[in-house]
Amino acid sequence: MILKDKVILITGGSSGIGYSIAEMAKNKGAKVIIAARNRERLDKAAKELSVFPIACDVGNEKHVTECYNTIMKEFGRIDALINNAGFGYFSMLDELDKKRFEEVFNTNVVGAALMAKYAARIFKKQNYGNIVNISSTAGTKGYAGGSAYTATKFALKGMSECWRAELRQHNVRVIHVNPSEVQTDFFVNSGRGKREFNPTKLIGEDIAHAVISALEMNDRGFITELTVFATNPK
């Protein structure tokens, strides 16, 4: 896909990996829309990047339908959905908090499914589209304390495979991306504290490069799944 003038929606686009993808797509000439819950942070990011902002809680179906109605009114089509919105909750099994467990599932799994549901309806009418699900290496291997977050990423992988089976006949590419640790505000937001910057570990730009490169592949083919590791983290 040639990104110039393509309409690309990025959830969780006001910070971290989503922000980096938005910036790189914009630099490629795409018409970029970023969606996020925090209006103040969303507007700040949109101004910095010169992109179109939509306030949206992906786990709220009313918000999701309003998001797509706005996109179709403003742009008339959508070429790619980057399902990036998500957060982490970490706890040992015997200390799991049911409310927080459900909250992380509502965003990471239900939210991704709702965003893809309404994108798929548009893509099938267009007979064209792209869905990129930003997952995690946590969706490939479990670890102590990761029950909630890891379960959401395993679920996202399963959904990616289902959507791919449903949508290929409509010329829709579903791409699943597994970043390993990326230095963003993710750890702070998950309650695990701030970490010092490590130049040997991944940053948002690295994942953006992987996503944009996958999208730029000629439409006759696509990468079903890719994993990004730091080369030699210290």
Side-chain angles (χ1 to χ4, degrees), residues 80-191:
L81 162 67
I82 315 297
N83 250 335
N84 172 70
F87 68 95
Y89 162 56
F90 303 92
S91 171
M92 299 301 283
L93 174 62
D94 57 351
E95 298 176 350
L96 275 179
D97 181 282
K98 179 176 180 289
K99 183 174 184 294
R100 295 193 69 190
F101 191 90
E102 291 173 341
E103 287 173 348
V104 75
F105 260 84
N106 191 55
T107 295
N108 296 11
V109 180
V110 177
L114 288 175
M115 293 303 300
K117 169 185 175 179
Y118 290 97
R121 290 182 178 180
I122 298 168
F123 291 159
K124 288 171 78 171
K125 289 179 181 178
Q126 295 176 168
N127 198 39
Y128 180 77
N130 299 268
I131 298 173
V132 179
N133 289 327
I134 306 299
S135 185
S136 168
T137 52
T140 64
K141 183 179 180 180
Y143 52 88
S147 292
Y149 182 69
T150 296
T152 67
K153 295 307 182 180
F154 268 86
L156 187 58
K157 177 178 172 61
M159 293 195 300
S160 294
E161 294 183 2
C162 294
W163 304 345
R164 194 177 299 130
E166 294 176 17
L167 297 173
R168 282 179 70 189
Q169 63 185 306
H170 301 286
N171 296 307
V172 177
R173 306 187 298 179
V174 179
I175 302 167
H176 189 80
V177 181
N178 300 310
S180 58
E181 181 187 345
V182 181
Q183 296 179 99
T184 66
D185 290 335
F186 176 86
F187 286 97
V188 175
N189 294 337
S190 68

Side-chain angles (χ1 to χ4, degrees), residues 1-121:
M1 177 173 73
I2 297 171
L3 267 64
K4 183 173 172 54
D5 294 327
K6 294 298 191 295
V7 180
I8 299 178
L9 168 62
I10 304 161
T11 66
S14 63
S15 63
I17 292 171
Y19 185 102
S20 295
I21 297 171
E23 183 174 34
M24 198 168 290
K26 175 71 176 178
N27 290 340
K28 292 280 186 176
K31 298 176 181 178
V32 177
I33 304 145
I34 58 172
R37 286 187 291 191
N38 186 306
R39 184 83 231 192
E40 183 179 353
R41 192 160 55 196
L42 175 69
D43 288 340
K44 180 177 182 292
K47 184 176 180 181
E48 290 171 352
L49 297 169
S50 296
V51 298
F52 191 90
I54 298 178
C56 177
D57 176 355
V58 298
N60 182 317
E61 192 161 13
K62 183 174 184 291
H63 284 201
V64 173
T65 57
E66 290 172 351
C67 173
Y68 282 106
N69 287 340
T70 300
I71 291 170
M72 296 307 288
K73 179 181 177 181
E74 294 290 334
F75 298 93
R77 65 177 291 111
I78 179 172
D79 296 288
L81 162 67
I82 315 297
N83 250 335
N84 172 70
F87 68 95
Y89 162 56
F90 303 92
S91 171
M92 299 301 283
L93 174 62
D94 57 351
E95 298 176 350
L96 275 179
D97 181 282
K98 179 176 180 289
K99 183 174 184 294
R100 295 193 69 190
F101 191 90
E102 291 173 341
E103 287 173 348
V104 75
F105 260 84
N106 191 55
T107 295
N108 296 11
V109 180
V110 177
L114 288 175
M115 293 303 300
K117 169 185 175 179
Y118 290 97
R121 290 182 178 180

Side-chain angles (χ1 to χ4, degrees), residues 180-181 183 198-203 206 228-234:
S180 58
E181 181 187 345
Q183 296 179 99
N198 184 334
T200 69
K201 291 186 177 182
L202 297 174
I203 59 174
D206 301 321
V228 185
F229 281 103
T231 302
N232 187 23
K234 305 295 184 183

